[in-house]
Structures are given as structure tokens and as C-alpha cells.
Amino acid sequence: MRIGGIQKVSLIDYPGKIAATIFVSGCNFNCGFCCNPELVLEENIKSQTLIPQDSICEFLRKRKNLIDGVVMCGGEPTIYKDLPGVIRKIKKMGFLIKLDTNGSNPGVLEHMFKKNLLDYVAMDIKTSKEKYPLLTGQKKHILNVERSVEILKEHAPNYEFRTTVVPGIVRKEDILKIARWIAPAKKYFLQQYRSQRTLDPAFKEIDPYPLEYLMEIQKIIAPHFDVCQIREQ
């Protein structure tokens, strides 16, 4: 596993917990609006100074009584075969584990739930089903994402789905389709788009939807979820 960075303390990445956030480099999606291009583009990853796993473990041992959990995000952590082993080491230290994922590897998720390695999963729903190939370039990805949705609803101790509402990529009709697809579910968040840092420079020229537009959609879909809120990233 290639680790590109760590945020030593976060009060927002793991709901209700104080956490450290580990940023894994590498991703199997290529979303132009991605806000972490340094973790996706291979030429950027090659120029990074990667953090050894031993250094991460040593840091966490020193923080054992100061933080509640560890967030694994990226990039896409599930592309690495050693992810379960890394998480197992961290769990043995007594930390809760939250995973951020695009849902492209349902087999990895299912394995980790069977081994009780995950306490919370946040899964990105990029857009409506028919638009996924436009983002990923492959039709097979949506089949994997669909399976991951079902796995989370069946096995996750706690989870959320979330969609960054990118103008042009995610419209009102797309969110209504997503809601019908994933409902009923525990939590669904609409995340306001921010264009400061993007994988594709063209997305920096896109203005976010007005907050009122998101609020209008949120009111329509809220009855399908236990929690449905807007996040202003």
C-alpha cells in the first residue's frame, strides 16, 4: 500500500469521533472533479515521499489515548490487497476504523465485514447509474458499485452514502434516481461542490449550485432515509 499523507487529528472525517486520517495514493477511477489529484495521477504519486507503514503504526501507538479512530481514505484504499492486513494491525491497537471508498471492489468490502474490520464506511455515489461509464470509462464499475451498496446495507455496523453535487455531472434528476436506487438507507449526504482543487482543470471553472437548489432536492428525498443532510465541504 502506498501512503501519501496523514492528517494527525481530524474532528470531521469520522462522525462523532476524534480521528487520524490516512491518505492512500492511487485510484481506479479518474473523476475530473476529484479534489485530491495528488493521490490519483500516477505522475504526481511518483514524485511523492511516501510514508512507511511502520511509521504510521508508531505514530498511532503514541496517540492511543488521544484519538478514537482512524480513517482510511484516498485515492481508493480497496485497490490494495494488503488493506485488510493494515487495518487489522490498527484495530489490534484499539482504534475504530472508518473506510472511505468508491465502492468499486465489493469483494474486498465483504471480506472485511466478515472479519469485523470495519466500524464505519462512507461510500461515494458519483452520479446516476447510466452516467457512471462517463466518469470511469468502464461499464463494469457500476455493477460493482451496485453490489457494494447492497453489502453496506446488509453488513455495515454504520455507514453513509454521499454524492458531491457537481454541476453538469449531477443534476436534480440524477439525485432523484440515486435516491430511488439506494433507498431505504441509514444516511445520505449531498455534498456541495468546491472547485479550488480538481483533477481536470476544466472543473475549476464550474460554479457550484446555489445552496437553495440543494435544499430543494434534499426536502424531496429526505423521507427515503433515516438521515439526509447537506454538507458544505
Side-chain angles (χ1 to χ4, degrees):
M1 179 186 296
R2 297 181 293 180
I3 299 174
I6 182 170
Q7 185 175 350
K8 295 182 178 180
V9 178
S10 171
L11 302 178
I12 60 173
D13 289 337
Y14 195 141
K17 305 295 181 184
I18 301 172
T21 302
I22 296 173
F23 296 91
V24 176
S25 297
C27 189
N28 53 348
F29 281 8
N30 193 35
C31 305
F33 56 85
C34 178
C35 63
N36 291 321
E38 71 279 4
L39 300 174
V40 176
L41 294 175
E42 197 61 35
E43 57 268 30
N44 292 344
I45 295 172
K46 288 179 179 178
S47 64
Q48 289 177 344
T49 300
L50 299 178
I51 304 174
Q53 290 182 27
D54 289 346
S55 297
I56 295 291
C57 290
E58 181 61 26
F59 164 77
L60 292 175
R61 288 189 190 98
K62 294 178 180 178
R63 295 296 191 277
K64 190 169 182 179
N65 298 316
L66 300 175
I67 59 176
D68 306 307
V70 175
V71 179
M72 304 293 296
C73 69
E76 175 51 42
T78 65
I79 64 175
Y80 290 104
K81 293 181 179 179
D82 59 342
L83 175 66
V86 173
I87 289 178
R88 188 176 291 107
K89 288 180 183 178
I90 297 173
K91 287 281 285 183
K92 285 182 178 179
M93 296 182 204
F95 296 106
L96 297 169
I97 298 291
K98 174 177 177 276
L99 173 70
D100 291 357
T101 181
N102 60 25
S104 59
N105 292 296
V108 176
L109 287 177
E110 195 163 34
H111 169 75
M112 289 195 289
F113 284 129
K114 287 180 179 178
K115 299 297 183 181
N116 297 314
L117 295 177
L118 302 176
D119 300 289
Y120 194 113
V121 177
M123 179 175 157
D124 292 312
I125 305 292
K126 301 293 186 180
T127 185
S128 54
K129 292 181 185 181
E130 59 267 28
K131 285 188 175 180
Y132 258 81
L134 299 176
L135 292 175
T136 67
Q138 296 187 49
K139 292 183 179 179
K140 70 175 184 179
H141 280 144
I142 186 54
L143 299 177
N144 290 336
V145 170
E146 287 181 286
R147 178 58 185 146
S148 291
V149 167
E150 295 307 313
I151 289 171
L152 259 63
K153 291 168 68 173
E154 292 172 13
H155 302 293
N158 204 354
Y159 69 89
E160 67 180 59
F161 298 112
R162 59 194 188 184
T163 298
T164 300
V165 189
V166 185
I169 300 294
V170 182
R171 296 183 170 89
K172 178 179 179 180
E173 56 266 32
D174 294 305
I175 298 174
L176 297 181
K177 289 178 181 179
I178 292 169
R180 288 193 293 269
W181 162 24
I182 66 175
K186 288 183 179 180
K187 302 174 187 177
Y188 181 44
F189 294 96
L190 302 179
Q191 299 186 154
Q192 180 64 283
Y193 174 64
R194 292 287 179 260
S195 60
Q196 287 90 342
R197 299 167 67 247
T198 60
L199 184 65
D200 183 343
F203 280 88
K204 292 182 180 179
E205 307 302 319
I206 297 176
D207 293 323
Y209 289 120
L211 182 59
E212 293 75 16
Y213 181 76
L214 300 189
M215 293 174 65
E216 174 188 323
I217 300 171
Q218 184 265 342
K219 288 179 182 179
I220 296 171
I221 65 174
H224 299 289
F225 306 97
D226 295 343
V227 175
C228 182
Q229 296 176 352
I230 297 168
R231 279 189 182 140
E232 296 186 68
Q233 294 178 293

